[in-house]
């Protein structure tokens, strides 16, 4: 690992879903990562293995099941959505309902 402070870091992160019917479905646990400025990272894996769930969790768009996520050394949950948006840019492949965007926004 690099000696510089990571931009994004996770400690013992567990990701997955919680719903009223089936309870909690954990997809992965014990995830420890560090992303550093100026480094290129590629996340590969078969469909349905949790890549998008991990990205959404790291961005704060989905609740983590356990562990911690840090953005520039600060716990992600302590940052306001506005401060997160100033640091994280994310484009997901989820389909969005067209009625919520203007042509300009799209």
């Amino acid at each position: 690992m690099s000696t510089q402070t990571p931009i994004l870091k996770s400690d013992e992160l567990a990701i997955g879903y919680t719903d009223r019917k089936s309870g909690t479905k954990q997809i992965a646990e014990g995830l420890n990562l560090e992303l550093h400025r100026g480094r290129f990272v590629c996340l590969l894996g078969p469909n349905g293995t949790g890549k998008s769930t991990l990205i959404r969790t790291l961005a704060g768009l989905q609740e983590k099941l356990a562990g911690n996520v840090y953005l520039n050394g600060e716990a992600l949950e302590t940052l306001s959505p506005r401060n997160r948006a100033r640091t994280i840019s994310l484009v997901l492949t989820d389909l969005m309902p067209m009625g919520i965007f203007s042509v300009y926004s799209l």
Side-chain angles (χ1 to χ4, degrees):
M1 294 288 169
S2 172
T3 57
Q4 96 186 110
T5 302
I7 296 171
L8 187 66
K9 179 180 177 178
S10 74
D11 288 322
E12 296 300 315
L13 182 65
I15 61 170
Y17 302 93
T18 302
D19 67 38
R20 288 180 280 219
K21 277 181 141 179
S22 61
T24 300
K25 179 179 181 190
Q26 186 169 289
I27 295 174
E29 66 181 335
L31 302 174
N32 298 301
L33 63 89
E34 290 185 359
L35 302 180
H36 293 271
R37 188 175 309 280
R39 300 288 178 129
F40 182 79
V41 177
C42 180
L43 180 61
L44 292 173
N47 290 344
T49 56
K51 299 178 302 292
S52 294
T53 300
L54 174 61
I55 291 170
R56 283 193 300 269
T57 304
L58 291 172
L61 300 175
Q62 185 168 325
E63 289 291 319
K64 63 187 189 295
L65 299 181
N68 297 297
V69 177
Y70 301 96
L71 185 59
N72 290 321
E74 294 186 55
L76 190 64
E77 63 269 9
T78 66
L79 300 173
S80 70
R82 174 178 248 170
N83 285 337
R84 279 189 305 216
R86 288 182 175 149
T87 306
I88 298 173
S89 178
L90 180 62
V91 177
L92 297 170
T93 58
D94 298 338
L95 294 176
M96 301 300 289
M98 295 304 292
I100 66 170
F101 294 111
S102 67
V103 172
Y104 181 77
S105 295
L106 186 60

